[in-house]
């Protein structure tokens, strides 16, 4: 049988298909499955000239799949390496490949969610928002350029690493060291989000009242003397509670905050 070897161009096409389309067909039934299947499509005919084998491979990779897509590129690389070995007659069956893919999507999501939306994005956004203060165009430009400069080479490196290591990288991804790494990144993400919230969530109250002795008391000054930045903290914790414990979506949470802000400013309850 003629050896079927993937070239660097083949790998690049598969990686690009995943990065461009991983979230293009989202549903609770499939999530990223069609994006994963699409990333296998550029090499399907080369690996499996037989139509029946090719159909089997594509059906295998159209099953439910979901993980953090940037870090998750390593799984695509691993699966591609195993599919290449299977196509060349090595004793690897389709169920093994699918089990490996599904088994890794959880650990990869844990690492990726801690690193990307939990740490990297808040850091880049905080820098971008600081630059954008006063309408500076450098804010959004910095975020866009920095994000692409980190994610594009990073995901390509992980994709190639997965392809070269194959199933040998499984132990690295699900070991106890990996669990400790996820915990450390999650903790770091909490610190980052706390710093961003403390820097950019601003809220004060304009309430004041006069005592029987004629003393004018400003509620905000009194709060600052007892617990500085108490109101912004209440907003952050309240929003977290609604989203994490009550299942409120981010869009609904933002609409609720907008309504409360409008009512508070109109009644004089809130002040900047």
């Amino acid at each position: 049988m003629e050896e079927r070897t993937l070239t660097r161009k083949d790998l690049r096409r598969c990686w690009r298909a995943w990065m461009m389309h991983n979230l293009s067909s989202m549903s609770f039934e499939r999530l990223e499955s069609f994006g994963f299947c699409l990333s296998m499509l550029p090499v399907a005919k080369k690996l499996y000239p037989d139509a029946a084998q090719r159909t089997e491979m594509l059906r295998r990779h159209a099953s439910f799949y979901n993980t953090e897509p940037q870090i998750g590129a390593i799984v695509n690389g691993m699966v591609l390496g195993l599919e290449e070995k299977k196509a060349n007659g090595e004793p690897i069956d389709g169920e093994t490949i699918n089990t490996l893919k599904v088994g890794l999507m959880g650990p990869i999501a844990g690492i990726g969610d801690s690193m990307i939306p939990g740490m990297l994005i808040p850091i880049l956004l905080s820098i971008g928002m600081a630059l954008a203060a006063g309408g500076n165009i450098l804010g959004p430009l910095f975020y866009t350029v920095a994000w692409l400069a980190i994610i594009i080479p990073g995901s390509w490196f992980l994709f190639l690493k997965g392809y070269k290591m194959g199933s040998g990288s499984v132990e690295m991804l699900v070991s106890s060291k990996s669990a400790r790494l996820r915990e450390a990144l999650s903790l770091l993400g909490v610190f980052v989000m706390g710093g961003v919230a403390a820097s950019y969530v601003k809220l004060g109250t304009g309430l004041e009242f006069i005592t029987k002795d004629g003393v004018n008391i400003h509620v905000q000054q009194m709060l600052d003397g007892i617990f500085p930045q108490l109101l912004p903290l209440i907003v952050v914790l309240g929003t977290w509670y609604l989203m994490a414990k009550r299942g409120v979506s981010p869009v609904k949470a933002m609409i609720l905050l907008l309504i409360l802000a409008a009512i508070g400013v109109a009644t004089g309850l809130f002040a900047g």
Side-chain angles (χ1 to χ4, degrees):
M1 184 179 68
E2 181 183 353
E3 185 176 1
R4 299 159 189 171
T5 304
L6 298 180
T7 64
R8 197 172 184 86
K9 183 179 180 181
D10 293 327
L11 298 177
R12 193 180 302 114
R13 289 168 63 200
C14 293
W15 165 78
R16 186 168 59 242
W18 168 248
M19 292 305 295
M20 294 288 289
H21 305 288
N22 53 68
L23 299 175
S24 61
S25 183
M26 291 288 288
S27 71
F28 285 112
E29 181 185 6
R30 298 288 182 174
L31 290 176
E32 297 172 355
S33 62
F34 290 143
F36 198 102
C37 183
L38 187 62
S39 73
M40 300 289 117
L41 200 58
V43 297
K45 195 168 185 178
K46 183 174 185 178
L47 291 179
Y48 300 105
D50 179 71
Q53 291 181 322
R54 188 163 62 249
T55 301
E56 179 190 351
M57 184 196 80
L58 295 178
R59 282 179 176 171
R60 178 163 62 247
H61 295 305
S63 60
F64 178 86
Y65 182 77
N66 187 45
T67 194
E68 199 288 315
Q70 279 68 234
I71 305 298
I74 192 173
V75 180
N76 296 67
M78 292 171 59
V79 168
L80 204 57
L82 293 175
E83 289 286 1
E84 183 183 26
K85 292 179 180 179
K86 181 179 185 298
N88 284 297
E90 295 195 25
I92 301 173
D93 58 45
E95 186 62 29
T96 299
I97 297 175
N98 198 54
T99 300
L100 175 73
K101 182 182 75 172
V102 174
L104 285 178
M105 69 180 185
I108 290 294
I111 296 173
D113 289 345
S114 299
M115 290 184 64
I116 306 301
M119 182 180 64
L120 178 61
I121 290 178
I123 291 175
L124 295 181
L125 280 177
S126 63
I127 298 173
M129 287 189 295
L131 292 173
N136 195 329
I137 191 63
L138 286 178
L141 287 178
F142 166 81
Y143 178 80
T144 302
V145 173
W147 168 258
L148 294 176
I150 294 171
I151 289 304
I152 290 178
S155 63
W156 172 238
F157 170 79
L158 290 173
F159 182 89
L160 289 180
K161 197 72 172 176
Y163 172 74
K164 292 175 182 177
M165 295 181 67
S167 59
S169 55
V170 173
E171 179 62 27
M172 176 188 71
L173 295 172
V174 300
S175 63
S176 58
K177 291 183 179 180
S178 172
R180 290 197 294 270
L181 175 63
R182 291 196 298 272
E183 292 175 1
L185 291 172
S186 297
L187 184 60
L188 180 59
V190 170
F191 280 112
V192 170
M193 291 302 295
V196 171
S199 300
Y200 293 102
V201 179
K202 304 294 183 183
L203 180 64
T205 179
L207 289 178
E208 58 181 78
F209 58 90
I210 301 175
T211 65
K212 294 180 179 180
D213 299 329
V215 179
N216 192 6
I217 297 179
H218 295 274
V219 175
Q220 185 61 51
Q221 292 180 358
M222 182 177 67
L223 291 176
D224 289 341
I226 301 172
F227 195 139
Q229 301 300 317
L230 175 62
L231 294 181
L233 177 63
I234 292 175
V235 170
V236 172
L237 293 180
T239 305
W240 168 82
Y241 174 78
L242 290 175
M243 295 175 62
K245 301 298 184 181
R246 308 298 295 181
V248 176
S249 68
V251 174
K252 290 181 180 179
M254 287 188 288
I255 293 175
L256 178 61
L257 289 174
L258 183 62
I259 294 173
L260 291 177
I263 294 174
V265 172
T267 59
L269 178 64
F270 297 151

